[in-house]
Amino acid sequence: MSDKLLEIKDLHAGVEDKEILKGLSLSIGKGEVHVILGPNGSGKSTLMNVIMGHPKYEVTGGSLDFEGESIKELPTFERARRGLFLSFQTPEEIPGITLGTMIRTSMQAVSGKKVKLLPFRKELKARLEELKMKPEYAERYLNVGFSGGEKKRAEILQLLMLNPKLALLDETDSGLDVDAVQIVSEGVAKFHNDENSCIIITHNTRILEKLKVDRVHVLMNGKIVEEGGPELVDEINRRGFTHILDAQEQK
């Protein structure tokens, strides 16, 4: 099997007849951490939703392969079974189902196997402690009454328990204070290893402090217009996106 986990070529996609991604190409290898930066409205969240198969978005061209298999036509739950996971920028509140039940049900749905209750509870308790969340959070309805930081930590809890092959983190650190960003960053670092990968959208690069970033991509107007190593994060922190926008306008 190839070490290439995700391969996107000339991807065109949009919503309601509006094209948002306009020929985007991206390649992610096993064990890699990729960061996507760009101004608001550039298509970053659209890309994450298209990879995960959100039914709102329509792919109109290009290819989307995961571990050598086209997933362009697969529904979201089949992509999750193959090892994709999306952490939402704004997690939804879902009354009637507890956080613990949702995670156990998801683990069973993804693996197709029964998850034994006692080992599950033991692992869940340990992960809650790592994320500095009290055990009773597992018995609360999903995100109901959670603060912004608690919702984001609940997302990382799901990531750690489900252990996917590719984590798509869409501004998981947005709206968090310094301490919460630190906890989330440590959680992502605990997840990441040589066999899985991360794509991270962020405006607050503190989440990257515990991670070795392999590649940085700048997304503008539906296309990746600049790429580089982790030094590109530092450059954009210093200079913003204006110089890249100016260069694009001159082309």
Side-chain angles (χ1 to χ4, degrees):
M1 183 178 293
S2 170
D3 285 338
K4 196 64 65 182
L5 195 61
L6 179 72
E7 188 79 33
I8 300 173
K9 294 182 180 178
D10 195 28
L11 185 66
H12 292 255
V15 60
E16 296 178 354
D17 297 324
K18 178 183 178 183
E19 187 176 57
I20 300 173
L21 302 181
K22 305 173 182 179
L24 184 146
S25 297
L26 182 65
S27 181
I28 311 291
K30 287 184 180 178
E32 294 181 347
V33 174
H34 288 237
V35 177
I36 297 180
L37 305 174
N40 291 334
S42 57
K44 302 185 299 297
S45 291
T46 294
L47 173 62
M48 295 296 218
N49 280 294
V50 168
I51 294 172
M52 199 66 217
H54 194 303
K56 172 183 174 181
Y57 297 89
E58 181 184 5
V59 175
T60 56
S63 61
L64 180 59
D65 295 345
F66 187 70
E67 292 192 310
E69 174 193 13
S70 175
I71 60 171
K72 196 164 66 170
E73 303 298 331
L74 291 181
T76 299
F77 75 91
E78 288 291 356
R79 301 186 196 202
R81 284 178 174 172
R82 282 159 174 74
L84 289 165
F85 173 92
L86 174 61
S87 173
F88 294 99
Q89 184 176 346
T90 308
E92 295 287 339
E93 296 185 4
I94 304 179
I97 181 170
T98 66
L99 175 59
T101 298
M102 189 280 296
I103 292 174
R104 185 172 178 230
T105 302
S106 297
M107 291 172 68
Q108 292 179 152
V110 167
S111 68
K113 300 176 182 177
K114 182 176 178 60
V115 175
K116 294 182 179 179
L117 185 57
L118 291 180
F120 168 78
R121 285 179 173 172
K122 183 178 179 181
E123 182 183 1
L124 183 64
K125 183 175 183 291
R127 295 301 192 183
L128 284 164
E129 289 175 356
E130 289 174 355
L131 295 168
K132 296 180 173 57
M133 298 177 75
K134 295 178 180 179
E136 52 262 34
Y137 276 95
E139 304 305 320
R140 291 176 59 178
Y141 290 149
L142 181 60
N143 293 326
V144 176
F146 286 25
S147 69
E150 289 165 348
K151 289 179 179 180
K152 298 304 178 71
R153 277 184 272 180
E155 293 277 288
I156 299 303
L157 175 66
Q158 295 165 47
L159 171 67
L160 292 171
M161 294 295 292
L162 288 165
N163 193 29
K165 295 176 182 177
L166 177 61
L168 310 170
L169 307 181
D170 186 2
E171 294 193 37
T172 305
D173 53 347
S174 66
L176 302 184
D177 61 28
V178 173
D179 291 338
V181 170
Q182 178 81 0
I183 292 168
V184 167
S185 178
E186 290 172 355
V188 176
K190 284 185 173 72
F191 157 75
H192 180 246
N193 58 46
D194 291 340
E195 292 299 315
N196 60 37
S197 302
C198 301
I199 303 177
I200 301 172
I201 292 174
T202 181
H203 289 292
N204 181 354
T205 53
R206 285 181 178 271
I207 194 175
L208 307 175
E209 290 177 357
K210 302 290 183 180
L211 298 167
K212 178 184 175 295
V213 174
D214 294 284
R215 199 72 178 156
V216 179
H217 314 269
V218 178
L219 180 58
M220 291 183 176
N221 194 30
K223 292 183 178 181
I224 291 173
V225 297
E226 188 161 339
E227 296 179 294
E231 69 281 353
L232 185 54
V233 173
D234 297 328
E235 180 183 352
I236 289 173
N237 280 340
R238 290 195 313 270
R239 303 177 63 189
F241 296 109
T242 303
H243 67 291
I244 300 176
L245 283 167
D246 290 343
Q248 290 300 305
E249 289 175 358
Q250 292 172 11
K251 288 183 178 181

